Amino acid sequence: MAYDYQAVHALDGTIGAISERRANHLAVHRATAIAVVLAAPGQTAEAAGILVANGEFEARFSGPGEWLILSEVHAPETLCAELSVRLGDFAFVIDQSHGRVALTLAGPDAARILANGIAIDLHADVFPVGRAANVLCNHLSVNLARTAADSFDLVVMRSFAEALVDDLKTMARSHELSVDFATR
Amino acid sequence: MASLIPCPHCGTRPRQEFSVRGDATPVRPAPMAADEVWNDYMHVRANPRGRIREHWQHIAGCRRWLVVERDNFTHEVFSVSDASLEQGGAR
C-alpha cells in the first residue's frame, strides 16, 4: 500500500490566524535547513575553522565541539551533503531540519521579553551579536543567538515549539507581541 | 539568591539548568576486584559536611559532565571543570 506523506509544520494551525503586526514580532520559520555538527575527538579546532560563517550557512555554538548549523539558502538535503563534503572526517553531521523549529524574536523589547524566562545576561556587551548559547527558557532548553541589537533567534526541538510559543506569549504579556509564520 | 554554577563552557548559569549525579570521589575498581571492594564502590558513601566533589551534568546547556567542587552547607562553589579532563581530556 502506498502512502502520501505530507510535511506539516509543528505550529501549523496554532499560529497565523491574526495578521496584525505589533512592535515586537515573533516570526516562525517554515523551511530553515538545520543540522547538528559534532567534531570528531580531538578535531574541534579543525571543524571550527571549516564552519566559519559564510553566506551559505551559519554555525551556532551549542557545546564544546558541537554546533547548530542554520541555512536559509540550502534545502535540508543539500545542507547535510554540503557539510559532509566540507567537514570530511573532522566531524559528524546530522540533519535536524524537521526535528527543530527556528524562531526569530525581533523588536525594541526583545531582550526584556526574553529576560522574563531566560537566566543569562542579555546585555549587548556580554551577549553581543553573533553570540549563541544553549539556555533554559522556563523549563525548555533552547539555543539562543543574537542576530542584531534587538533581534534574537531561538531554535527548539519540534515537539516543544508550541509550548515555547505559549511561554513567549506569557513572557511578553506586558509588551506588544505578534506571532506569525515568516514570509520570505 | 539563586544558586549559580560557573560552567567552563557556557559561563555562569542557574542550578536549574544542571542535573546532579552524586559523589565524584569513588574510583571504579578493577573488574575482578573483591566483592567487598565492589560493594563499597556501589553502595557505601561518606556523607561529609563541607567541601565535596560532585558530578553535575549541564543538561540544558552544553550537556557536558562536570566535576563541581562545592560546599554542601553554604553552596559556595570553589571550582568547576569538565569531567573528561580527569581522563586525559578527549575534547
Side-chain angles (χ1 to χ4, degrees), chain A residues 3-59:
Chain A
Y3 293 93
D4 274 338
Y5 292 106
Q6 221 175 346
V8 177
H9 193 276
L11 292 170
D12 262 332
T14 63
I15 60 165
I18 303 164
S19 58
E20 181 198 5
R21 208 181 165 96
R22 299 188 181 148
N24 303 290
H25 186 69
L26 181 67
V28 181
H29 300 282
R30 267 200 185 276
T32 307
I34 304 173
V36 169
V37 168
L38 179 67
Q43 309 288 351
T44 302
E46 286 83 350
I50 296 169
L51 290 174
V52 169
N54 58 31
E56 285 182 41
F57 55 78
E58 201 180 324

Side-chain angles (χ1 to χ4, degrees), chain A residues 51-80:
Chain A
L51 290 174
V52 169
N54 58 31
E56 285 182 41
F57 55 78
E58 201 180 324
R60 292 187 182 157
F61 175 84
S62 110
E66 201 180 334
W67 299 271
L68 209 56
I69 314 292
L70 279 81
S71 176
E72 294 286 349
V73 181
H74 282 282
E77 304 78 21
T78 59
L79 175 65
C80 265

Side-chain angles (χ1 to χ4, degrees), chain B residues 46-84:
Chain B
N47 187 20
R49 172 175 141 158
R51 202 163 167 148
I52 52 162
R53 276 159 51 82
E54 278 179 329
H55 278 133
W56 289 66
Q57 191 185 12
H58 196 183
I59 290 265
C62 55
R63 301 193 298 286
R64 300 288 296 172
W65 281 98
L66 309 169
V67 176
V68 177
E69 195 176 4
R70 69 178 182 103
D71 191 305
N72 62 6
F73 186 62
T74 61
H75 194 64
E76 184 185 351
V77 176
F78 302 105
S79 73
V80 182
S81 61
D82 195 293
S84 73

Side-chain angles (χ1 to χ4, degrees), chain B residues 4-72:
Chain B
L4 300 174
I5 295 175
C7 171
H9 308 300
C10 305
T12 302
R13 298 296 182 90
R15 167 184 62 77
Q16 284 77 7
E17 288 194 4
F18 297 81
S19 155
V20 63
R21 190 200 73 113
D23 201 345
T25 41
V27 179
R28 190 179 175 86
M32 299 311 289
D35 284 354
E36 293 73 37
V37 178
W38 271 103
N39 182 65
D40 285 359
Y41 171 72
M42 288 293 290
H43 305 295
V44 181
R45 291 287 180 276
N47 187 20
R49 172 175 141 158
R51 202 163 167 148
I52 52 162
R53 276 159 51 82
E54 278 179 329
H55 278 133
W56 289 66
Q57 191 185 12
H58 196 183
I59 290 265
C62 55
R63 301 193 298 286
R64 300 288 296 172
W65 281 98
L66 309 169
V67 176
V68 177
E69 195 176 4
R70 69 178 182 103
D71 191 305
N72 62 6

Side-chain angles (χ1 to χ4, degrees), chain A residues 5-181:
Chain A
Y5 292 106
Q6 221 175 346
V8 177
H9 193 276
L11 292 170
D12 262 332
T14 63
I15 60 165
I18 303 164
S19 58
E20 181 198 5
R21 208 181 165 96
R22 299 188 181 148
N24 303 290
H25 186 69
L26 181 67
V28 181
H29 300 282
R30 267 200 185 276
T32 307
I34 304 173
V36 169
V37 168
L38 179 67
Q43 309 288 351
T44 302
E46 286 83 350
I50 296 169
L51 290 174
V52 169
N54 58 31
E56 285 182 41
F57 55 78
E58 201 180 324
R60 292 187 182 157
F61 175 84
S62 110
E66 201 180 334
W67 299 271
L68 209 56
I69 314 292
L70 279 81
S71 176
E72 294 286 349
V73 181
H74 282 282
E77 304 78 21
T78 59
L79 175 65
C80 265
E82 172 79 19
L83 288 171
S84 301
V85 168
R86 287 196 191 205
L87 289 160
D89 291 335
F90 289 132
F92 308 97
V93 183
I94 299 146
D95 184 19
Q96 286 289 327
S97 305
H98 300 277
R100 315 255 175 143
V101 172
L103 312 94
T104 300
L105 177 65
D109 306 315
R112 278 179 200 189
I113 292 171
L114 291 174
N116 285 337
I118 290 175
I120 62 166
D121 191 347
L122 293 173
H123 192 278
D125 292 347
V126 186
F127 198 75
V129 175
R131 179 74 58 87
N134 278 6
V135 294
L136 199 64
C137 179
N138 292 325
H139 62 295
L140 301 177
S141 180
V142 302
N143 184 274
L144 177 75
R146 190 178 215 126
T147 50
D150 54 1
S151 170
F152 295 86
D153 268 15
L154 298 109
V155 180
V156 68
M157 286 188 187
R158 177 193 171 91
S159 51
F160 294 143
E162 202 178 332
L164 178 66
V165 169
D166 281 349
D167 279 353
L168 285 168
K169 283 182 189 166
T170 309
M171 286 151 65
R173 270 173 80 167
S174 45
H175 305 275
E176 294 270 285
L177 180 75
S178 54
V179 185
D180 202 353
F181 283 107

